[in-house]
Amino acid sequence: MSSSSTTMAAIWALAIIHLLLLLPLLRSSIVFELHGDVYPTGLFYVTMNIGEPAKPYNLDVDTGSPLTWLECDAPLQSTHKGPHEAYRPTPTNVVPCDDERCVAVHRDLGLAHDCTRNPDQCDYVFGYKDGESSLGVLLADQFSLPTNNENRPNLAFGCGYDQEGGQEAGKKLVEADGVLGIGRGTGDLVSQLKQQGIITDNIFGHCLGVHGGGFLFFGGDRVPSAGVTWVPMAQNVGSHYSPGAATLNLNVQLEYPVGVTLEGSSLTKVDDDALAECWEENEPIQFVDDVKSKFKPLELTFGHGANQATMEIPPENYIVVTKTGKVCLGILNGSQIGLDRLNLIGGNTMQNYIMIYDNERARIGWARASCYEMPGLEPLIGSRL
């Protein structure tokens, strides 16, 4: 080989090494560690550092609402107390009513955008299906995000000074200081990060560990390159993410309410206030592992023909044990809480799946995964990617 060829080969080798070293810096995705579990905590939350100086706040992750808010000392009128001191705004944090971010939030929440009463601030009220509500004003402050380029974008969020109602609200706010609302919208945090160029794609995903914890990511370059099942997002379902109508299968086609076939079981069908389909044994049931062998896997089938896709749900992902020692089907009949034909598939069903919400292509994807490391990457918990 000539000296010039050797020199060129060396240059190419150095260029490839340099590119490999730069790849982590080129990623725009943001990864957060998830805390909490399905039971007994009853929620998954992330810790975000907000303000100047930055202070930590725990935010309950909610894919069904587009509003992120913190309990706010403005003055704080609700009786709920989170794990950290309430966020204290300053006049410079307040977003005026004519700001585009206020327009977006009002549109996302279905509120009339009327600035005649309070032109200097952006008021909101938002009610959740469980009866909880948040009343507040829109603020903007710096978010210290776990990115390689030390981005501290100025993002809009709610200053919730009056939170009321909801059977689980008090319990949740023992662990959380507010809500990370990443439901479908134009003013949610993921949309804002895309608009500011912090992430390149309006895509996010999560992976809930079967024993708690897991991760949440914003941005498209953390989506697995293979092995993902995709279905179109249903339209006209508000801020919810839905794959549309599905058939629930347990060896035979079933309709809701579901008649679950048990494997030679001593379980007896009973009524329970917690969920619609429940069973009990002679003695109170303590753990899902004690009874999961008595149930068969469920299948949720979406679409038809060539576009058909199926998600298999093992028993430990769809049954829950209640406080009264009963075992119940963990799929909530949405008509009971005002969601009409929508049924809610909770976090328990999605454990050990990476779930992807691709707003760029209006699709939802999933793949079986270990929720303690990103596919193809080193373990991420506690790391900066």
Side-chain angles (χ1 to χ4, degrees):
M1 181 181 292
S2 67
S3 59
S4 60
S5 298
T6 303
T7 302
M8 287 301 297
I11 292 173
W12 275 109
L14 288 173
I16 292 171
I17 292 172
H18 185 64
L19 179 60
L20 291 174
L21 291 173
L22 283 177
L23 278 177
L25 300 177
L26 297 175
R27 293 190 178 115
S28 68
S29 289
I30 306 167
V31 184
F32 302 91
E33 181 180 358
L34 282 173
H35 307 273
D37 50 44
V38 172
Y39 185 85
T41 308
L43 76 157
F44 287 86
Y45 63 91
V46 298
T47 300
M48 286 193 173
N49 296 306
I50 304 171
E52 180 58 49
K55 295 181 180 180
Y57 298 96
N58 295 350
L59 299 179
D60 177 11
V61 179
D62 182 8
T63 61
S65 66
L67 177 67
T68 293
W69 57 266
L70 286 174
E71 283 218 305
C72 203
D73 187 6
L76 183 64
Q77 296 179 22
S78 70
T79 57
H80 300 147
K81 297 294 181 183
H84 300 101
E85 181 181 349
Y87 176 88
R88 293 187 176 180
T90 66
T92 58
N93 296 127
V94 178
V95 174
C97 187
D98 61 358
D99 191 289
E100 283 299 317
R101 293 170 294 184
C102 181
V103 176
V105 166
H106 284 170
R107 180 172 55 243
D108 291 348
L109 301 184
L111 302 175
H113 184 66
D114 185 357
C115 298
T116 56
R117 184 176 178 182
N118 290 316
D120 296 329
Q121 66 186 47
C122 180
D123 298 304
Y124 72 83
V125 61
F126 184 66
Y128 296 88
K129 294 298 182 180
D130 66 354
E132 185 182 0
S133 64
S134 176
L135 177 67
V137 297
L138 198 65
L139 304 178
D141 208 339
Q142 290 184 323
F143 281 62
S144 299
L145 300 175
T147 60
N148 287 296
N149 53 7
E150 301 294 335
N151 274 320
R152 300 195 65 198
N154 195 268
L155 303 175
F157 61 97
C159 165
Y161 56 79
D162 191 6
Q163 279 64 248
E164 298 294 341
Q167 187 176 8
E168 297 295 315
K171 173 184 173 182
K172 288 184 176 181
L173 284 173
V174 171
E175 300 288 344
D177 302 289
V179 170
L180 175 60
I182 46 179
R184 296 172 73 174
T186 56
D188 61 281
L189 244 58
V190 182
S191 295
Q192 292 185 60
L193 290 169
K194 164 71 184 296
Q195 292 159 7
Q196 295 189 30
I198 307 301
I199 58 176
T200 56
D201 300 294
N202 190 337
I203 297 172
F204 73 92
H206 57 70
C207 202
L208 310 180
V210 70
H211 298 297
F215 60 85
L216 170 75
F217 66 89
F218 299 159
D221 56 17
R222 296 302 180 188
V223 176
S225 58
V228 179
T229 300
W230 294 100
V231 294
M233 286 182 188
Q235 304 301 313
N236 303 316
V237 289
S239 59
H240 295 278
Y241 287 97
S242 172
T247 301
L248 181 60
N249 300 293
L250 186 68
N251 296 333
V252 295
Q253 182 170 321
L254 302 167
E255 296 180 354
Y256 199 97
V258 179
V260 176
T261 303
L262 304 175
E263 295 276 18
S265 174
S266 59
L267 293 173
T268 304
K269 181 76 168 59
V270 293
D271 293 327
D272 192 281
D273 293 337
L275 290 162
E277 296 283 315
C278 297
W279 300 264
E280 67 178 3
E281 287 191 312
N282 292 332
E283 297 294 330
I285 301 165
Q286 293 185 314
F287 305 104
V288 167
D289 285 346
D290 296 338
V291 292
K292 68 180 184 180
S293 63
K294 300 178 182 180
F295 293 81
K296 299 178 182 179
L298 291 178
E299 289 184 347
L300 282 173
T301 302
F302 305 94
H304 302 280
N307 297 320
Q308 182 172 295
T310 297
M311 172 186 281
E312 182 176 281
I313 307 171
E316 58 268 30
N317 279 26
Y318 74 79
I319 57 175
V320 294
V321 172
T322 69
K323 294 178 180 178
T324 58
K326 299 179 180 68
V327 60
C328 298
L329 180 68
I331 299 178
L332 182 63
N333 185 347
S335 64
Q336 296 178 345
I337 56 171
L339 291 178
D340 195 21
R341 295 173 58 86
L342 286 177
N343 295 317
L344 296 184
I345 300 174
N348 59 318
T349 306
M350 294 182 281
Q351 291 174 118
N352 278 6
Y353 275 100
I354 181 169
M355 300 294 303
I356 306 151
Y357 307 85
D358 184 348
N359 288 294
E360 300 291 339
R361 300 165 186 83
R363 60 182 183 170
I364 298 173
W366 64 83
R368 294 290 288 179
S370 166
C371 292
Y372 303 105
E373 61 182 34
M374 286 288 285
L377 298 174
E378 296 179 357
L380 65 86
I381 300 303
S383 67
R384 294 165 61 91
L385 299 179

